[in-house]
Amino acid sequence: MANEQTTVPLFVAAEVLTAVDMNLSAGTGVPVFTNSTTRDAGFGGAGEKVLAEGQLCYLSDSNIVQYYSGASWATVGPTSSALTLVTPTSTANSGGSVTTTGGQVVGTACTSFSLNGVFTSTYDNYLIQINSASASSAGNFLFKLRAAGVDLSATYYWGLTYVTWGAASGAQGGSNTTSWKIGSFESPVNCNILVQNPFLSVAKGFTGGGQTLDAMQTLGGTNTSTASHDGFTLAGSAGNLTATVRVFGYQKS
């Protein structure tokens, strides 16, 4: 990188400054280093500035700006995104096909399809984005937790409320069912689901919301299983399912 340097020079009285000297100091306004090792070596040596509180720098390997507090270097702003896209370790499907591009999974004309290895100890809570979900027949949109390639088909409790654009409203619920209901396939479904503690050995929960072409809905539920789960399965109660899915882990701190 053209801006990277290995030293922060300190000029003394009567010293002759070359164009190279001036360009090094004035080119960015903030010293740019390859990494923290070259940053640390750039101060305090012969002919170099003594590191002091308020000093700024940029590290090109991690693309962050740092400041010196007088005791240590700290990063300006967040060091990472609050949400991280998670790529499944594998997928499975009954009928149809599944393709994975980066962290995006597209199931096409499947009776059901599954994402494995998306829940780990790295995160406790996950955002699941489901776009343009549709089925070849009207019915329920279903979600099951999964562990080591096996679906959990018990102890689901859920509730759903909806309001149509014509202001009609209603509510549905299920107790100790075989899956969570996360929508209906009267028209394509888009929804965001927050799944809580799927990998931990405690009861699981979810909340969410979404919309079809004619209504909006809010969702919520629990599962009393305390087993650890690493994935999930999506299915329609009738017909074949097509949907685009992305999973994001929430940063713990």
Side-chain angles (χ1 to χ4, degrees):
M1 180 176 178
N3 285 328
E4 287 176 354
Q5 58 198 82
T6 58
T7 182
V8 178
L10 178 66
F11 303 121
V12 299
E15 184 174 351
V16 175
L17 302 183
T18 66
V20 172
D21 293 328
M22 295 304 295
N23 289 338
L24 178 64
S25 299
T28 64
V30 174
V32 178
F33 297 102
T34 303
N35 50 45
S36 60
T37 300
T38 55
R39 175 203 65 197
D40 293 343
F43 297 92
E48 295 177 337
K49 179 181 178 181
V50 175
L51 185 59
E53 184 176 356
Q55 178 67 52
L56 295 173
C57 78
Y58 177 88
L59 303 183
S60 59
D61 67 336
S62 50
N63 298 318
I64 58 174
V65 177
Q66 294 188 316
Y67 66 92
Y68 188 69
S69 68
S72 62
W73 289 98
T75 298
V76 177
T79 57
S80 61
S81 172
L83 285 171
T84 301
L85 182 63
V86 178
T87 300
T89 57
S90 65
T91 59
N93 56 292
S94 175
S97 63
V98 175
T99 58
T100 302
T101 305
Q104 176 178 285
V105 178
V106 178
T108 304
C110 302
T111 303
S112 66
F113 67 95
S114 307
L115 281 68
N116 300 317
V118 289
F119 304 144
T120 67
S121 60
T122 304
Y123 310 104
D124 293 339
N125 302 311
Y126 295 82
L127 172 65
I128 301 175
Q129 292 183 336
I130 303 173
N131 297 106
S132 302
S134 62
S136 58
S137 301
N140 297 328
F141 192 11
L142 306 175
F143 182 107
K144 292 186 178 185
L145 294 166
R146 185 173 175 87
V150 178
D151 290 341
L152 173 65
S153 297
T155 63
Y156 290 93
Y157 300 82
W158 57 269
L160 179 156
T161 61
Y162 65 88
V163 179
T164 70
W165 307 146
S169 62
Q172 301 173 5
S175 177
N176 196 22
T177 60
T178 59
S179 60
W180 284 326
K181 179 178 176 178
I182 59 173
S184 298
F185 284 124
E186 282 75 18
S187 60
V189 177
N190 297 294
C191 59
N192 290 331
I193 299 172
L194 169 62
V195 179
Q196 300 156 316
N197 306 319
F199 194 76
L200 299 180
S201 298
V202 298
K204 325 304 178 190
F206 90 99
T207 58
Q211 76 284 334
T212 65
L213 293 180
D214 57 4
M216 59 165 286
Q217 59 186 19
T218 57
L219 316 164
T222 61
N223 188 289
T224 57
S225 170
T226 57
S228 176
H229 293 85
D230 59 13
F232 62 91
T233 293
L234 298 175
S237 61
N240 296 321
L241 169 67
T242 295
T244 299
V245 183
R246 298 176 185 85
V247 180
F248 298 84
Y250 278 94
Q251 183 177 318
K252 290 184 179 181
S253 60

